[in-house]
Amino acid sequence: MPVKSLESYLFERGLVGSYPIEYLKNAVLGIDVNHYASRLLTSKREQYLDAIGGFPTSLRMYLESDLKVFKEFNITPLFVFNGSLVSTQLESSGILSGNADEANAVTVNASAVNSHNSSMNSANQFTKENKESIFIQRHKGWTQWNNLVTSNKDSYIDQPIQPQEAFRYNTIIETKRFLSDLIAYFIDHDILYQVAPYCSWAQLSYLLTNGNIDAIYGPTDCLMLNNVQKFILGMEFPNKEFRFIDKARVLREFGCSHEEFVDIAMAVGNDLQPFTLPPLQIYPAVQLFEFALEMVISTGTNFYAYQLSNPVRNESLDCVDKYRKGVSALHYMPVLKDTGKVEIFIEPETASNEGDSPKQSQTYSTGNVTDIPEDISSPRPIPSDVHDFIAQQLPSEYYFYKSLGLISGKLLDTISTGIYPEEPPLDHGSTNSYRKLVKDSVEVFKNNEINLLTQPINRYYQIKPIKQVKWFAKDDPVSITNRMTPSTFEKINHLVVKTDLKDKSFSISEFINLIENSKDLAEDFISEKVLFPNSVSADKKLKTSFDLLSTSFLRDAYILGFFEYNLNKKLLKPTVWGSILLQFNKLSIDPEYHEAFFVLLVFFKMNVLSLSEDTQPPAPSSLSQATLRSYPRESLYILVITRILTLFQVEQKPTNYYGPVDKKTLIFRDHLDFVKENLKELFEAVTVSSLTSGEFDRLSIDNSGWQKNIVRNLPFKLSTPSTVMAMMWEFFLQKYLHNGNAKADAFSLVVTEFSTFKSVPNLNEQFMKSQDFLTQCSALLNALAASKLIKSEDAFLFAKAVEYSGKAIMD
C-alpha cells in the first residue's frame, strides 16, 4: 500500500516528471511487482476473476507487451516480489484471524454494501477493510446473480444468463495468488526475479545502493528512503515514456524536510504503517496527505508528538506503538544481501535533499534503542527488539529458498507468527465439505509440514505453540503438532531416489516410470544409511534436480498413504491408492494430466464429497429449471463432467473474461484448489527439509539451475484452472439438449456467449482435447471403483456422462 492519497496529490501539484523510456537504455531496472501489477490488474480489466478463478490471462498479455519495450531499449528488468508482512501489516491485514471478521461481513444486507462502499471515502480505512470490501463485493456479485436467475427462471431455458453485477472492488488484485505463475513465466523467459524476505521496495533500495540495479520502479513509499533520490512511479508504454519522482524537488515544493515527510507518511498511513492515526481520521481519504501537509506547514504539527500528547490514554499508547513500529521498520528493514544472508540494511544517511536540514534525526524503536539522537556520520545502532516490529527471524537459508520461489512465504510466516490462517475461498467456503477439508488438513498436511521445517532450526521453534485459525471458527483454533517422536524427517530420510541422471527433468510421469521399472522397490529406494552427515562424501549425496525432486515426491507419497514403508523390515510397496497412481501410464493417461489426476486422487482419498453428491448447503445450478425438470439424468451428467473439467486448462489467448458464471462449479473447483495448495506446501516442506539437512550437494548446481531445474519443475505450483472450460461444456450441452441435438447451434451459442473468437482460437480442438481428458479420467475412476476406493455408481455415472458428451461433440 503506497502513502495514502500522495500519488494523486503529486500529480495535482505537477510534481511528477516525464522522460522518454530511451533515457533508461541499457539500464537494469528494479521493479516492485506489487506496484507494477496494481497498474495492470485493475478491476476493469479482470471483472470476473473472482467468479471463475484461475490466473488473470490479461496480466500475461500486458507483461509480454511491456517486455517487448524493455527489449527494444535493452533494459534489463529485475522483478522483486513482496515477502512476509511486518508487525503493523499483520495487525492491519486481519490475516492472523483468517480474516474472520471481514468474511463475516458478507452477512450484511446487499443494500448495506453501497453504504459500506461509500464509507471507503473515510480516512479510517486500511488493509483490513479493503479485504472486507473484497468479501462483501463477492457476496454482492453472487447475490445479484442469484436474484437474476430467480427473476428469469420462467423465461430462461437454454440461453445462459449474463450477470449484471461485476465481481470487482476498489482495491488492487492480490498478486500473491499468482506469485508461482509469474515466477514460472519469468523462468521460462529468462527474466530476473527475486522474492524479498519482507518489503520489496526496501529490497530494491538495497540493490540500488549496492549497484545491482540502476533505477527503481516503485510506489510512493520510496520517498521515505534516504538513499533514493529519484524513482520511477509509472510507465506509459504506448507513448514510450516513464513518470518519475525527484525527491529533492518534492520536498522543496512541499516546504518540508525529509524527517517531516516521514512523520506525515507515518500519520496518514503507508505500506509499513497502514493505519491512519489521530487527528487525521476525520478527513476524506482522497485528501489525507494534503491536509496533513497543511497542518505541518501552517502550524508546525509534529504527528509523533501529537500521539504522545493525545489525552485519550489508551488510544495514545496504541498509536504511539504503531508509529514507532512503522518508523523502526523503515530504519531497520531486513534484506537479502549478496552474501546470501538476511540482515538489517542500514541506509546511508544523506543531508543533500533540498529543504532537508542536516540536523540529527531520531529513531523510534519499540525497545532498547528509543529516542536516541543519532550521529549521521556513524552507523545507526540496531535495537535489540527488531523481532517485535519486524518478525521473529528464521535462518537465512530459508529466506534464500524463498527468494527463488522454491517455498512460499505462508509456511515460513506460520513458524514466525505461530498462526496458520485459513481464509475463505472465492465462493466463501460455506459448504460443510469444504470446511471438513480445512479441518482435516491439519492431520493430513500441516502437522508434517511444520514438523519438517521446525526440526532443523532453533529448539524454540520446535516447542513454540502454532495454531491453525479458521475464518469460520476463529475462536476455536487447532494446535498444529510441531513436535513428534520420531520426527517426520526421521520417518522418511531413508527413502532415497538416486539415479545421478543430470539431463532428466522431474515429472510425475518420469517418477512413475522409475517406480515401474524397479524390480525391488525396497532395494532400489531404501537407503541403508542417511545422506546428511558430514562424513558422507559428496558423490553419495543427491546431486541432480531429478533425484532431489523424485526423492521428495516418494516421501510425499508415503506421508499421504500411497506407499507402505518399514525400514526395519526393509519393506516398501504401494498401497491400494499407490497402485492406482502407478497405473497412470497403463491407463494411457497423458503425462500432461498426471498432476491434475493426482490432485483428484488425494481429494477422493480425503473423502469429504463424492463426485455426484451435492454440497450442503446446496448452491443454485446455472442450468435452467426447464433443463433440470425435463432432463434430470442429463443434468447429472453435466454436473459430474463440469466438476472434473475444473482441472482442465483451456488454451486461450490473454483476454478479460466477461461471460456466464456458475457458483456450483466454482465451489467444486475451490475444493480441488485447496487440496492442490496443501500438496504444494507439503512438497515444498519435504524438499526444504532435504536441502537444509545437507542431503543434496548444493554446489552441484548453479544459480540458473536452481531456478530452471528445481523451482520450475516443482509440482502443484501453478494456479488451478478457471471454470471457463467447464462452463462452455455446461451451456453447450444444455443448448444441445433443447435444440434437437444440433451441435452447430450449440457451438454457435458458446462462441457468442463466451466470445471465443477473441479468447479461444480453435474451439472445436479444445472441446475435443477436453473430451479426451474426460475419457482418460473415466478410465481412472473405473480403476478406483474396481479397487473399491470410490462408489461404483459414481464411476458408472461418469462413464455414461462421458459417453453422452462424446456423442454430442462427435455429431
Side-chain angles (χ1 to χ4, degrees):
M1 183 189 76
V3 178
K4 291 183 181 180
S5 77
L6 174 58
E7 185 172 327
S8 58
Y9 186 60
L10 290 171
F11 276 99
E12 288 173 13
R13 295 281 295 262
L15 295 175
V16 181
S18 177
Y19 270 121
I21 289 181
E22 188 177 3
Y23 278 61
L24 297 174
K25 196 170 185 178
N26 302 322
V28 178
L29 179 63
I31 301 176
D32 184 300
V33 174
N34 268 17
H35 178 70
Y36 174 75
S38 70
R39 277 153 158 68
L40 298 181
L41 288 181
T42 64
S43 57
K44 291 182 179 179
R45 287 175 174 169
E46 288 289 349
Q47 297 184 30
Y48 290 112
L49 186 64
D50 280 5
I52 63 172
F55 180 77
T57 56
S58 66
L59 178 57
R60 187 178 293 112
M61 175 176 64
Y62 298 123
L63 190 57
E64 288 174 352
S65 175
D66 294 353
L67 290 173
K68 286 179 182 177
V69 178
F70 287 144
K71 186 175 182 181
E72 179 184 347
F73 293 99
N74 198 32
I75 298 169
T76 303
L78 168 59
F79 290 88
V80 178
F81 294 87
N82 218 28
S84 301
L85 301 180
V86 299
S87 175
T88 50
Q89 292 171 326
L90 286 168
E91 184 181 349
S92 73
S93 67
I95 286 176
L96 296 183
S97 65
N99 276 298
D101 296 333
E102 296 74 32
N104 290 333
V106 301
T107 58
V108 299
N109 250 316
S111 60
V113 174
N114 292 329
S115 64
H116 172 85
N117 285 344
S118 64
S119 74
M120 293 298 286
N121 291 326
S122 167
N124 197 29
Q125 306 298 318
F126 43 87
T127 311
K128 189 174 182 179
E129 288 162 334
N130 284 342
K131 196 75 175 182
E132 181 178 327
S133 175
I134 292 173
F135 295 143
I136 290 178
Q137 191 60 39
R138 286 178 191 165
H139 176 70
K140 181 184 177 185
W142 286 118
T143 300
Q144 293 273 6
W145 179 80
N146 289 341
N147 293 338
L148 190 64
V149 171
T150 301
S151 62
N152 288 276
K153 66 179 181 180
D154 295 330
S155 57
Y156 168 38
I157 297 176
D158 60 9
Q159 192 82 15
I161 298 172
Q162 295 284 355
Q164 296 175 345
E165 178 64 35
F167 291 74
R168 65 183 186 193
Y169 26 81
N170 298 320
T171 59
I172 64 170
I173 295 174
E174 298 170 304
T175 53
K176 280 200 172 184
R177 281 167 55 183
F178 319 113
L179 183 144
S180 295
D181 299 87
L182 287 172
I183 286 177
Y185 180 88
F186 292 151
I187 293 174
D188 291 342
H189 294 82
D190 294 319
I191 305 296
L192 300 176
Y193 73 89
Q194 184 181 101
V195 182
Y198 293 97
C199 176
S200 49
W201 47 271
Q203 182 69 30
L204 287 168
S205 171
Y206 165 76
L207 294 173
L208 181 70
T209 301
N210 221 36
N212 300 105
I213 59 176
D214 300 305
I216 291 176
Y217 176 13
T220 50
D221 301 284
C222 292
L223 279 167
M224 294 189 292
L225 297 168
N226 273 314
N227 64 320
V228 177
Q229 300 307 308
K230 294 180 181 179
F231 65 94
I232 296 169
L233 185 64
M235 289 279 190
E236 301 291 337
F237 287 101
N239 301 328
K240 295 187 177 179
E241 294 180 341
F242 65 89
R243 309 289 186 186
F244 74 96
I245 301 295
D246 183 336
K247 184 164 72 173
R249 182 189 172 198
V250 168
L251 295 180
R252 184 171 62 249
E253 289 291 324
F254 284 174
C256 69
S257 67
H258 175 74
E259 244 189 356
E260 289 169 329
F261 177 85
V262 172
D263 181 56
I264 295 171
M266 290 299 159
V268 300
N270 60 81
D271 188 30
L272 299 180
Q273 200 297 98
F275 298 89
T276 300
L277 302 179
L280 298 172
Q281 301 103 319
I282 62 173
Y283 298 108
V286 293
Q287 295 177 288
L288 259 184
F289 191 90
E290 181 180 356
F291 278 106
L293 179 63
E294 178 63 26
M295 292 172 68
V296 170
I297 301 304
S298 300
T299 64
T301 300
N302 181 292
F303 290 105
Y304 178 57
Y306 184 93
Q307 311 313 318
L308 290 171
S309 60
N310 192 333
V312 184
R313 185 62 179 165
N314 290 339
E315 183 181 78
S316 175
L317 292 173
D318 183 52
C319 293
V320 167
D321 185 58
K322 287 181 172 65
Y323 187 105
R324 285 178 169 176
K325 285 182 176 180
V327 174
S328 298
L330 176 67
H331 285 169
Y332 306 107
M333 179 61 65
V335 298
L336 179 64
K337 296 192 172 180
D338 289 347
T339 59
K341 293 183 178 181
V342 172
E343 297 175 333
I344 290 173
F345 172 49
I346 304 296
E347 286 186 294
E349 296 287 343
T350 176
S352 61
N353 297 329
E354 293 192 32
D356 203 3
S357 64
K359 62 183 179 181
Q360 293 177 332
S361 61
Q362 289 184 324
T363 60
Y364 304 91
S365 169
T366 58
N368 294 347
V369 180
T370 305
D371 300 328
I372 299 177
E374 59 183 66
D375 181 352
I376 63 173
S377 65
S378 61
R380 183 186 297 130
I382 298 175
S384 61
D385 63 341
V386 174
H387 62 277
D388 189 45
F389 54 84
I390 301 294
Q392 292 180 344
Q393 187 174 8
L394 299 176
S396 290
E397 187 176 357
Y398 279 2
Y399 293 113
F400 169 71
Y401 299 136
K402 179 180 177 180
S403 73
L404 298 170
L406 193 154
I407 184 170
S408 60
K410 191 172 182 180
L411 284 177
L412 301 184
D413 291 345
T414 296
I415 298 172
S416 60
T417 63
I419 298 293
Y420 185 91
E422 293 286 5
E423 297 185 25
L426 298 179
D427 72 272
H428 194 61
S430 59
T431 61
N432 297 338
S433 51
Y434 189 90
R435 295 185 177 191
K436 188 173 188 306
L437 265 183
V438 173
K439 293 174 182 176
D440 292 351
S441 66
V442 173
E443 183 67 31
V444 178
F445 297 103
K446 293 293 160 278
N447 287 343
N448 290 301
E449 293 164 7
I450 299 303
N451 182 260
L452 284 165
L453 293 174
T454 55
Q455 283 305 301
I457 58 178
N458 192 292
R459 187 175 180 274
Y460 164 78
Y461 295 104
Q462 297 170 20
I463 60 175
K464 178 182 179 180
I466 298 178
K467 299 181 183 296
Q468 178 204 48
V469 175
K470 305 174 287 292
W471 83 93
F472 57 88
K474 72 170 185 177
D475 296 325
D476 185 27
V478 177
S479 295
I480 295 176
T481 307
N482 52 336
R483 192 175 188 184
M484 305 177 187
T485 305
S487 68
T488 302
F489 184 70
E490 289 177 292
K491 296 175 186 176
I492 62 177
N493 59 22
H494 284 270
L495 291 173
V496 175
V497 176
K498 184 166 172 58
T499 66
D500 292 337
L501 296 172
K502 293 183 178 181
D503 300 326
K504 183 177 286 190
S505 296
F506 171 80
S507 67
I508 296 177
S509 175
E510 289 292 349
F511 173 83
I512 292 173
N513 286 333
L514 186 71
I515 299 296
E516 282 186 320
N517 291 332
S518 172
K519 295 180 180 178
D520 187 334
L521 294 182
E523 182 65 29
D524 292 341
F525 304 118
I526 296 180
S527 173
E528 292 290 341
K529 296 181 179 179
V530 292
L531 304 182
F532 50 83
N534 292 331
S535 57
V536 176
S537 60
D539 64 304
K540 294 192 181 295
K541 292 181 181 288
L542 302 175
K543 293 193 294 184
T544 68
S545 61
F546 177 81
D547 287 355
L548 173 66
L549 299 183
S550 294
T551 297
S552 294
F553 194 86
L554 177 60
R555 294 173 176 181
D556 248 33
Y558 163 66
I559 291 172
L560 293 169
F562 284 82
F563 285 91
E564 183 181 346
Y565 161 60
N566 188 301
L567 176 62
N568 296 327
K569 296 180 180 179
K570 194 78 172 178
L571 170 69
L572 181 63
K573 65 178 183 178
T575 62
V576 61
W577 286 97
S579 297
I580 300 297
L581 171 64
L582 298 181
Q583 288 182 48
F584 276 15
N585 291 338
K586 293 178 182 177
L587 294 172
S588 299
I589 295 175
D590 192 316
E592 180 184 354
Y593 306 139
H594 281 189
E595 181 180 304
F597 286 167
F598 185 77
V599 172
L600 192 63
L601 283 184
V602 175
F603 171 73
F604 285 141
K605 192 172 185 297
M606 294 189 74
N607 194 30
V608 297
L609 184 70
S610 69
L611 186 60
S612 61
E613 181 185 2
D614 204 354
T615 56
Q616 296 300 325
S621 174
S622 289
L623 296 175
S624 68
Q625 290 299 313
T627 304
L628 294 170
R629 283 195 307 266
S630 303
Y631 303 99
R633 191 66 180 172
E634 289 80 359
S635 297
L636 199 51
Y637 291 164
I638 293 173
L639 172 69
V640 295
I641 283 173
T642 53
R643 283 182 164 185
I644 293 299
L645 283 173
T646 57
L647 289 168
F648 180 83
Q649 180 62 62
V650 62
E651 295 176 13
Q652 60 187 117
K653 292 180 180 178
T655 183
N656 173 22
Y657 179 80
Y658 188 97
V661 296
D662 181 5
K663 189 173 185 180
K664 186 180 284 288
T665 303
L666 181 70
I667 287 173
F668 196 79
R669 177 204 173 271
D670 282 343
H671 281 68
L672 298 176
D673 186 58
F674 180 83
V675 172
K676 185 175 183 179
E677 180 70 17
N678 278 272
L679 284 171
K680 180 195 78 170
E681 292 183 349
L682 179 61
F683 196 93
E684 291 172 347
V686 171
T687 304
V688 169
S689 70
S690 177
L691 291 169
T692 54
S693 69
E695 291 183 324
F696 181 70
D697 181 10
R698 285 166 287 188
L699 298 179
S700 65
I701 193 167
D702 58 17
N703 289 341
S704 175
W706 278 100
Q707 296 176 347
K708 292 186 175 181
N709 300 331
I710 295 180
V711 176
R712 187 63 181 91
N713 290 321
L714 286 167
F716 317 117
K717 279 284 194 178
L718 302 184
S719 296
T720 303
S722 70
T723 60
V724 170
M725 193 72 228
M727 292 190 298
M728 286 198 292
W729 266 103
E730 178 178 11
F731 297 115
F732 166 81
L733 289 174
Q734 178 171 251
K735 183 69 174 178
Y736 181 80
L737 281 169
H738 288 280
N739 211 37
N741 297 346
K743 174 185 173 182
D745 288 348
F747 252 78
S748 296
L749 177 137
V750 172
V751 170
T752 302
E753 296 296 325
F754 290 86
S755 303
T756 57
F757 58 90
K758 294 180 181 178
S759 58
V760 185
N762 195 329
L763 184 62
N764 188 67
E765 180 183 305
Q766 288 301 295
F767 264 85
M768 296 301 293
K769 188 175 181 181
S770 58
Q771 173 64 26
D772 186 48
F773 177 83
L774 293 171
T775 302
Q776 294 179 40
C777 187
S778 182
L780 175 62
L781 295 184
N782 287 335
L784 285 167
S787 299
K788 302 187 185 310
L789 297 175
I790 64 169
K791 297 177 183 177
S792 57
E793 295 88 348
D794 278 358
F796 179 77
L797 173 67
F798 190 78
K800 298 299 290 183
V802 173
E803 181 183 333
Y804 176 74
S805 64
K807 180 179 180 298
I809 202 68
M810 296 297 181
D811 275 353

